[in-house]
Amino acid sequence: MSQPPDHRLRRLLLVHAHPDDESINNGATMAKYAAEGAAVTLVTCTLGEEGEVIPPGLAHLAADRDDILGEYRIGELAAAMKELGVTDHRFLGGPGRYRDSGMMGAPQNERPGCFWQADLDEAAGDLVEVIREVQPQVLVTYDTNGGYGHPDHIKAHQVAMRAADLAADPAHGDGEPHTISKIYWNCVPRSVVEEGFRRLRAAGRSFPFEGIATADDVPGVLDDAQVTAAIDAGAHAERKSAAMRAHATQIAVDGPFFALSNDLGQPVFATEYYRLVRGTPGTGGGADAREDDLFAGLGV
Ligand SMILES: CC(=O)N[C@H]1[C@@H](O[C@@H]2[C@H](O)[C@H](O)[C@@H](O)[C@H](O)[C@H]2O)O[C@H](CO)[C@@H](O)[C@@H]1O
Ligand SMILES: [Zn+2]
């Protein structure tokens, strides 16, 4: 039987598709709130079984070889959470319940048991259990396109939003209903992306990446005015980089830059951005009148 949540604490729930997404999108935010004593819960929907593998010595883990990458990425995620100081991380429905669906259009999208094929209400029901146990005031997930159109990211968005509705519905299932006060979608202001790539191109450094990505490769780019919160977690930038490094099969990090297995360099953002899509914004303490705290206005 799980313990009831400590209602005195700030409680943040993040829902992600694969091990590595949490560190890339929210690593600094997670480290910041964990360091401040908030209860941070991560739910990852798949084990990332279909990922490519960067280190040649680990290539055997891949789905088309030994097919043990998912098990290996459980360890990478645990190491990343240790770097961020996050102690509550779970897999939706338990480890391996929903398999990585591969990139949009891949044959793996049709594989029985993959997340893309999961029944929405069944998967959302698994998340309702976590929501009603943890009772978060704030939920973070992807936008409707999953940031960049990956099927598992799109499904993670759909499951998170559906579960938020079901968890609040007294007529749904067992347990006390819980209404999440604020829901945010990950995003990045276009001006920040453009500046980040300008820095990357100007660096001219001999970093180990084959090429340089483009703004279109960055998930969730929005016009600046649509971005409603900026969490400056620069003090935790090193923790974010260390967490990204822990996902070594997926991410190569070089100073303020990183690359996925496509070997295209991108900037690491220590300020992480969000768009409030449900709930009332707090007073904007940050620049551009944006919120500088995801719990702003909640009195916690
Ligand atoms: C960040 C993210 O969502 N990674 C996913 C993604 O990985 C990409 C995929 O392997 C693609 O083929 C590569 O070109 C790209 O570099 C990778 O980032 O999709 C994987 C398969 O679904 C998933 O395991 C990985 O976590
Ligand atoms: Zn992902």
Side-chain angles (χ1 to χ4, degrees), residues 123-255:
D126 291 330
L127 187 57
V128 166
E129 287 181 25
V130 179
I131 292 172
R132 286 183 170 175
E133 175 202 331
V134 172
Q135 299 176 30
Q137 298 101 340
V138 175
L139 166 65
V140 166
T141 191
Y142 310 108
D143 63 23
T144 54
N145 186 41
Y148 72 97
H150 189 295
D152 292 335
H153 286 228
I154 294 169
K155 195 58 166 270
H157 159 85
Q158 294 169 347
V159 167
M161 298 308 288
R162 177 68 174 149
D165 291 337
L166 292 176
D169 180 353
H172 175 80
D174 305 325
E176 282 298 303
H178 174 73
T179 298
I180 298 170
S181 303
K182 299 173 85 176
I183 299 180
Y184 291 90
W185 293 348
N186 294 308
C187 61
V188 191
R190 188 172 307 285
S191 65
V192 169
V193 172
E194 288 167 353
E195 169 57 20
F197 278 104
R198 194 199 59 71
R199 274 190 294 112
L200 205 159
R201 285 190 293 273
R205 60 193 295 155
S206 56
F207 48 61
F209 308 137
E210 186 67 30
I212 294 180
T214 67
D216 291 341
D217 296 305
V218 177
V221 178
L222 286 182
D223 292 340
D224 289 26
Q226 291 180 281
V227 178
T228 65
I231 305 302
D232 178 356
H236 304 278
E238 270 316 303
R239 285 182 175 276
K240 173 171 183 170
S241 293
M244 290 174 71
R245 281 196 187 87
H247 292 288
T249 60
Q250 305 301 307
I251 309 170
V253 181
D254 179 335

Side-chain angles (χ1 to χ4, degrees), residues 17-21 24 46 48-52 69 73 100-103 148 150 152-153 250 260-263:
H18 313 106
D20 72 7
D21 294 309
I24 297 170
T46 78
E49 298 91 329
E50 295 293 339
E52 295 179 348
L69 180 59
R73 290 180 74 174
D100 183 336
S101 309
M103 295 291 272
Y148 72 97
H150 189 295
D152 292 335
H153 286 228
Q250 305 301 307
L260 301 170
S261 59
N262 56 14
D263 214 12

